[in-house]
Amino acid sequence: MLRHYNDYIQEISKEDLFKGLLGFGLFNEKMPPFLTSMKFLDFCVENSENDYFKEKNGRGKSVFPAKDFIRYENMRNINIPRQMAIPHPIVYRNLCVNLSDHWKSLQEHFSNKTKGQAHKISRIHIRKLRDKMHLFEMGYENFQKDEDPIPDLSIGKKIVVKADISNCFPSIYTHALPWALVGKEKAKEDRKPENWFNQIDKSVRNLKYGETHGILIGPHASSLISEIILVTVDKELYEKGYRYIRNIDDYTCYVESHQQADQFLLDLSSELKKYELTLNHRKTERLKLPLASTAHWVRKLTSVYFSGDVKNHIKSLKPTSHKILPSEPEKDILTFKELRSYLDLAIDLMDKHFNNAAIINYAIKVISKKYLGSMAKAYYLKNIHNLILIYPYLIPLLDEYIFKAFEIENRQIKKISQNIFNLGKRERLWEPLGYALFFSLKYGFSLEVGDLSKIAEESEDCVLMLLAFLYEKKQDNTKANQYAMLSKRLRDSNFDRYWLFVYETSTETELDETFRKLKTKGVSFIKEEFQVKS
């Protein structure tokens, strides 16, 4: 049964929202998966009724103040890093409480802004995910429930317009949230802090040191925050007769003429300006149909036909050869020739689409579901090894879609990790360095890292610092003292921007009252399997 946008929103309870955003949405999936906020969630639930989450001052208790946040860089599919964030945990907790406390009002907002729409405009949004605890995932689709509206939208149309918002999350003006929720005029007239829409505005600002411009890229709550404004824009455009889909801040609209395409861009720009947002004109395109839809790289990759499957392959083998078969015989088999042709196609498409590594990303996920023989697997691993050093954006795919999918031996993982480490060190790319250390911790091998503590300190990257600390503590516990000194300097000078590293490397007595209680209760943000005992 196909579902409306509002159906997804209404099935989320306020408890679901709080748990999903805080317990599974503090740390973005675009980073080495060694962190968790589950213990912190449990602590928050157990202490929900006391004043721990407020700050003491001379006049008694006050709302916990605005804080700075952790920065880290994540490589984009065009090989350009993007700044992402980990918010201060208490401030993020308070935002999640605020959103869940006012969830009924937010549900009404989403319902009012999407009702009457014949198709689901926004394609990527919070929802309950099958067999998962988090509420948001980029690119998630449920083909049984998410209809594909494009065939209907393109009927009778000659032009497809592509546009996106310029620096969407960093450009969101937090005061525009009340404008979207209750109207600009009412929001400006009624600025009482106790109003629910102003409370949300305040909570969002607190994540970014009280700044009114920009929301953090990374925490899952930001995806909900952005939708408050963007569904409001959608409603206005839909009522003007435009039929399109939106992936976060990317618009794809189907129109009958170049004149209508120009008008859509004018109207979209006008609606965005009401909320202090602007179009990225450099990425605006007008493409002629039907060429625009048939030429899309996804369609070309999905049109590839793979000839054999494992069950047919089994019949062609002699009984003595059964030992080479995969453990899951229902997997499709990908022959060496098909693999080579498919990779060649993906690389060729990437070259024609401005080195967009998302194309290889897609191909890797397709291949991970196939069975590769020994020759094909060896060929594939060498190609992937080469590609990740050219396109570091692909490194986060390694563990799930290569190492685990094809049961790669530790010695090969170590070789790849060492080259990733060397790349990161040479190019001063901290994300690859972090992933190399993550693989070392997970698979139990050592790397040639040189003066790692110096590299970590010079990086000013909190996530890399913590991974370096865990690595060195596991390899040689005597080196932990170097990180203790770094932790003390950061604790005294810039705690909020490095809270995760400082918290995990400090003793109870070295922390302030806020974090001391967390430490006393045994809360750690590091997954159990990556913790290194003293």
Side-chain angles (χ1 to χ4, degrees):
M1 179 180 176
L2 300 182
R3 310 193 73 196
H4 187 271
Y5 185 98
N6 190 50
D7 295 331
Y8 289 105
I9 297 298
Q10 294 299 326
E11 73 176 359
I12 300 172
S13 69
K14 61 179 293 185
E15 293 79 15
D16 293 332
L17 187 75
F18 182 72
K19 183 177 181 180
L21 295 182
L22 183 61
F24 301 90
L26 174 62
F27 302 112
N28 189 273
E29 59 273 14
K30 298 289 186 180
M31 60 188 301
F34 72 108
L35 298 171
T36 176
S37 54
M38 273 302 298
K39 286 187 177 180
F40 179 61
L41 170 66
D42 293 339
F43 174 88
C44 292
V45 172
E46 292 169 5
N47 294 273
S48 60
E49 300 301 323
N50 62 36
D51 289 327
Y52 170 76
F53 301 104
K54 297 181 180 180
E55 186 175 76
K56 292 179 181 179
N57 60 23
R59 298 180 301 278
K61 302 288 185 180
S62 68
V63 175
F64 202 86
K67 294 289 184 180
D68 207 347
F69 57 92
I70 294 170
R71 285 100 169 140
Y72 71 96
E73 288 188 342
N74 165 250
M75 193 64 68
R76 299 168 63 192
N77 61 326
I78 52 176
N79 255 18
I80 297 175
R82 151 180 61 193
Q83 188 183 90
M84 303 191 77
I86 302 173
H88 187 288
I90 307 298
V91 180
Y92 185 68
R93 174 266 177 196
N94 290 345
L95 170 63
C96 293
V97 167
N98 215 323
L99 292 172
S100 61
D101 283 349
H102 303 301
W103 184 230
K104 184 175 181 180
S105 296
L106 288 170
Q107 286 176 314
E108 291 176 1
H109 170 75
F110 288 118
S111 177
N112 291 336
K113 300 303 179 184
T114 60
K115 66 182 178 183
Q117 294 172 0
H119 72 281
K120 187 158 67 75
I121 295 174
S122 177
R123 312 304 296 176
I124 303 172
H125 51 81
I126 68 163
R127 61 168 86 186
K128 285 191 173 183
L129 305 175
R130 187 189 306 161
D131 302 324
K132 297 178 181 179
M133 300 301 294
H134 53 276
L135 295 175
F136 181 78
E137 191 172 300
M138 285 293 295
Y140 181 90
E141 286 185 292
N142 184 332
F143 294 104
Q144 295 177 325
K145 297 180 179 180
D146 282 356
E147 88 289 9
D148 179 7
I150 291 177
D152 288 328
L153 298 182
S154 59
I155 292 176
K157 305 300 190 296
K158 297 180 179 179
I159 305 291
V160 60
V161 186
K162 293 184 176 290
D164 75 3
I165 300 171
S166 180
N167 296 313
C168 182
F169 280 25
S171 298
I172 287 179
Y173 182 51
T174 66
H175 290 339
L177 294 168
W179 302 351
L181 289 168
V182 297
K184 190 171 186 177
E185 184 175 338
K186 181 178 179 180
K188 283 183 170 292
E189 288 178 356
D190 198 348
R191 301 187 181 185
K192 296 176 182 177
E194 60 268 24
N195 285 333
W196 70 275
F197 44 89
N198 290 327
Q199 289 181 28
I200 290 175
D201 176 8
K202 176 72 171 176
S203 295
V204 174
R205 278 184 279 135
N206 281 350
L207 288 188
K208 201 178 176 190
Y209 230 164
E211 295 179 10
T212 57
H213 279 88
I215 62 175
L216 303 185
I217 302 175
H220 288 183
S222 292
S223 301
L224 173 60
I225 296 300
S226 65
E227 283 289 280
I228 290 172
I229 293 174
L230 297 181
V231 297
T232 308
V233 172
D234 290 339
K235 177 178 172 62
E236 297 301 317
L237 293 172
Y238 189 89
E239 290 181 351
K240 289 181 179 180
Y242 296 112
R243 297 298 178 259
Y244 64 92
I245 59 171
R246 173 174 58 80
N247 292 307
I248 310 292
D249 61 340
D250 290 325
Y251 295 80
T252 304
C253 182
Y254 295 83
V255 295
E256 296 175 358
S257 65
H258 285 284
Q259 182 180 2
Q260 193 176 17
D262 292 340
Q263 190 61 48
F264 169 73
L265 291 171
L266 287 172
D267 287 338
L268 173 57
S269 180
S270 177
E271 292 301 325
L272 291 173
K273 283 180 180 177
K274 293 178 183 179
Y275 301 96
E276 306 294 335
L277 296 170
T278 59
L279 277 181
N280 184 348
H281 293 287
R282 289 180 301 173
K283 294 180 68 175
T284 298
E285 292 183 285
R286 301 168 182 81
L287 304 172
K288 186 177 180 181
L289 289 170
L291 179 63
S293 58
T294 56
H296 196 274
W297 61 263
V298 173
R299 293 179 184 270
K300 288 196 172 183
L301 286 177
T302 54
S303 66
V304 174
Y305 172 73
F306 299 120
S307 61
D309 62 46
V310 169
K311 291 179 181 178
N312 290 333
H313 186 58
I314 291 173
K315 295 176 183 178
S316 67
L317 294 171
K318 297 179 181 179
T320 55
S321 301
H322 284 190
K323 63 181 180 180
I324 71 168
L325 292 177
S327 57
E328 299 179 30
E330 69 275 8
K331 271 190 173 183
D332 291 337
I333 191 168
L334 192 58
T335 68
F336 177 83
K337 289 183 178 180
E338 289 173 332
L339 170 68
R340 186 170 57 186
S341 297
Y342 190 67
L343 278 178
D344 287 347
L345 173 62
I347 292 169
D348 183 56
L349 287 170
M350 184 172 64
D351 181 59
K352 292 177 180 177
H353 287 80
F354 309 102
N355 281 331
N356 182 358
I359 297 171
I360 298 294
N361 179 318
Y362 183 93
I364 287 173
K365 290 180 179 180
V366 170
I367 294 170
S368 71
K369 299 175 183 177
K370 309 296 182 182
Y371 168 70
L372 301 180
S374 57
M375 186 168 69
K377 185 165 76 170
Y379 173 81
Y380 182 53
L381 190 60
K382 289 176 183 178
N383 275 269
I384 292 299
H385 193 162
N386 181 48
L387 285 168
I388 61 170
L389 298 177
I390 300 172
Y391 303 102
Y393 160 77
L394 301 172
I395 291 173
L397 299 177
L398 282 174
D399 198 34
E400 181 177 357
Y401 297 102
I402 306 294
F403 298 160
K404 288 194 287 187
F406 298 107
E407 300 178 349
I408 303 302
E409 296 178 0
N410 274 24
R411 63 178 179 82
Q412 294 173 302
I413 298 175
K414 178 178 179 177
K415 182 179 180 181
I416 292 171
S417 299
Q418 185 66 62
N419 285 340
I420 291 172
F421 186 91
N422 295 342
L423 167 73
K425 182 179 177 181
R426 183 176 64 253
E427 303 292 337
R428 296 181 64 80
L429 298 173
W430 311 129
E431 185 182 38
L433 275 173
Y435 267 99
L437 297 176
F438 167 76
F439 295 141
S440 169
L441 288 166
K442 179 170 182 177
Y443 293 101
F445 52 77
S446 62
L447 296 168
E448 294 179 12
V449 297
D451 192 346
L452 184 57
S453 62
K454 183 180 179 181
I455 295 171
E457 182 173 359
E458 291 179 348
S459 75
E460 298 183 344
D461 185 289
C462 180
V463 175
L464 177 59
M465 288 177 184
L466 184 53
L467 282 164
F469 165 74
L470 293 173
Y471 173 86
E472 301 240 68
K473 190 175 181 182
K474 185 175 182 179
Q475 297 295 322
D476 182 0
N477 198 34
T478 61
K479 293 186 177 181
N481 291 333
Q482 297 170 323
Y483 295 89
M485 291 187 289
L486 173 59
S487 181
K488 183 181 186 306
R489 288 199 297 274
L490 295 173
R491 184 168 63 245
D492 296 339
S493 63
N494 210 348
F495 177 85
D496 292 347
R497 290 184 67 155
Y498 298 94
W499 68 261
L500 179 62
F501 169 73
V502 176
Y503 175 77
E504 295 291 350
T505 55
S506 299
T507 63
E508 295 172 16
T509 57
E510 292 171 329
L511 296 166
D512 67 13
E513 183 180 353
T514 300
F515 283 89
R516 188 182 307 134
K517 187 170 183 180
L518 286 176
K519 202 82 171 183
T520 302
K521 293 294 184 179
V523 174
S524 175
F525 295 92
I526 301 170
K527 290 180 179 178
E528 190 71 31
E529 60 267 34
F530 293 98
Q531 293 183 20
V532 182
K533 306 301 179 183
S534 299

